[in-house]
Amino acid sequence: MTDWLHEPIAPIDEAARAGARARQAMLTKPPGSLGRLEGLAEAFAGWQGQSVPVLADIDIVVFAADHGVAARGVSAFDQAVTGQMIANFAAGGAAICVLARRHDARLSIVDLGAVAPPADCASVIDARIAAGTADFTQSCAMQAGELEQALQAGRERVSPSAHLFIGGEMGIGNTTSAAAILAGLSGATPAQVVGRGTGIDAAGLARKQAVVEAGLARHRASWQGATGSARALSMLRCVGGFEIAALTGAFVAAAQAGVPVLVDGFIASVAALCAREIAPDCANWQLFGHRCAEAGHCYLLDMLEARPLLDLDMRLGEGSGAALALGVIGDALALHAGMATFDEAGVTNRDG
């Protein structure tokens, strides 16, 4: 059942946010001179309900699954890579593993349906739904029950005690599914939102755009006339992926639990858009970590008028771009807590 998706979203503590704003005005600096770092401190104050927030409990969860549409030649890599990367995550060798260690974050890996899962990876959470989704150019990517399982798997990975949640993903073919969802929700053409993903050539890009168009044409009647939650869930079921649905479920659950989400790149941002379609107030709990190099991500961020913290031309996924932004957030909160006020420093305040 998906009734839980419609439970209330946690409110922002506006008093704590105002307290943080007042503290910023007393720190030894010209007003606004720390730019967006000041807004970060205020946002985290509102999320945590305290005027001096902290960042000491970070959850990073990577959801992995394969996509049947990969059979259409939309990726530069074989589906075996998904299982191989799950093993790499478990061994601590992937980029997100390095960044999680660097920021002392908890890292969890969830296998929702790799075609070739690795053997003997005890640290990987087994939440397998099927050996990948179906090819969405031939049928719905998943059945209704499979979508429910994927959404629930995301919900179960959210800890209400966390100060921040980062959702990562791994799955050959998942930029194709994400582009199809974005095109369906936004009205964009495949040419506007389909990118090179893992690095396909011009012929591969044209093929990928045609695959997205074919999927939309096949399933458009399923969501025509629908809005909000019904439309988003229909798109996830028809052209989505297990990991995209799990991210969507996690983002909704995090907002319900009062846990802010640091959104990664293209695939995670499409899940964030789906979460907003399901529960619009999820937007109050979303912070975008970076602008990735995928064409669809630039389109989506502009559509949402979202300002990511970083822009480094990355397109790795895994939650890696969001994890890099942890340094900026950590420094923003450290400055907010550690700088002296004008009175403490004995510095004349122009307003004093």
Side-chain angles (χ1 to χ4, degrees):
M1 296 293 291
T2 57
D3 291 350
W4 65 270
L5 290 169
H6 307 293
E7 293 175 5
I9 300 300
I12 305 297
D13 190 325
E14 294 298 342
R17 188 170 186 137
R21 189 176 303 116
R23 176 172 173 78
Q24 282 288 328
M26 295 187 296
L27 299 180
T28 47
K29 59 179 178 58
S33 58
L34 286 178
R36 293 178 64 193
L37 299 182
E38 298 181 15
L40 281 173
E42 293 171 18
F44 273 85
W47 288 328
Q48 292 184 12
Q50 51 187 4
S51 60
V52 182
V54 296
L55 188 62
D57 196 331
I58 304 164
D59 275 330
I60 303 176
V61 182
V62 178
F63 298 98
D66 274 310
H67 294 249
V69 76
R72 299 292 156 188
V74 295
S75 175
F77 291 91
D78 185 86
Q79 282 189 309
V81 170
T82 301
Q84 292 164 0
M85 280 302 300
I86 291 174
N88 191 32
F89 293 138
I96 191 59
C97 305
V98 176
L99 293 170
R101 290 192 295 267
R102 182 168 176 79
H103 293 285
D104 197 25
R106 286 188 300 271
L107 176 63
S108 302
I109 312 301
V110 183
D111 178 9
L112 296 165
V115 168
D120 302 323
C121 285
S123 62
V124 175
I125 297 167
D126 184 357
R128 290 178 60 78
I129 298 166
T133 55
D135 178 356
F136 67 60
T137 67
Q138 303 300 307
S139 66
C140 287
M142 60 188 96
Q143 300 302 310
E146 292 176 329
L147 174 59
E148 291 176 9
Q149 285 181 263
L151 291 163
Q152 181 64 26
R155 181 191 190 193
E156 291 173 356
R157 301 325 312 165
V158 174
S159 169
S161 65
H163 293 143
L164 189 64
F165 178 91
I166 294 175
E169 41 62 40
M170 174 63 211
I172 298 301
N174 61 8
T175 58
T176 305
S177 283
I181 294 169
L182 176 55
L185 285 174
S186 68
T189 66
Q192 289 176 293
V193 298
V194 174
R196 295 183 183 271
T198 50
I200 53 176
D201 58 16
L205 179 61
R207 184 166 56 248
K208 187 175 176 181
Q209 290 171 348
V211 165
V212 168
E213 181 55 50
L216 292 173
R218 182 179 185 91
H219 300 292
R220 192 170 279 119
S222 298
W223 57 73
Q224 207 146 25
T227 58
S229 178
R231 182 172 66 155
L233 292 174
S234 180
M235 288 186 184
L236 283 169
R237 181 176 62 84
C238 292
V239 299
F242 295 147
E243 80 281 40
I244 302 174
L247 284 168
T248 300
F251 292 164
V252 173
Q256 291 170 341
V259 177
V261 167
L262 183 58
V263 183
D264 190 42
F266 179 46
I267 292 104
S269 294
V270 168
L273 174 63
C274 289
R276 292 186 184 199
E277 288 280 317
I278 293 167
D281 285 346
C282 282
N284 299 331
W285 293 89
Q286 293 175 358
L287 176 65
F288 290 80
H290 78 123
R291 181 187 296 271
C292 83
E294 191 74 4
H297 197 218
C298 298
Y299 181 94
L300 176 53
L301 290 173
D302 291 346
M303 183 182 89
L304 296 176
E305 298 182 349
R307 296 182 64 199
L309 297 177
L310 303 174
D311 188 346
L312 300 172
D313 292 332
M314 293 179 65
R315 53 182 176 84
L316 177 59
E318 305 177 2
S320 57
L324 276 170
L326 288 172
V328 175
I329 297 170
D331 287 345
L333 301 192
L335 289 166
H336 180 74
M339 285 182 67
T341 65
F342 285 102
D343 286 346
E344 290 168 344
V347 175
T348 301
N349 184 347
R350 70 176 186 183
D351 296 325

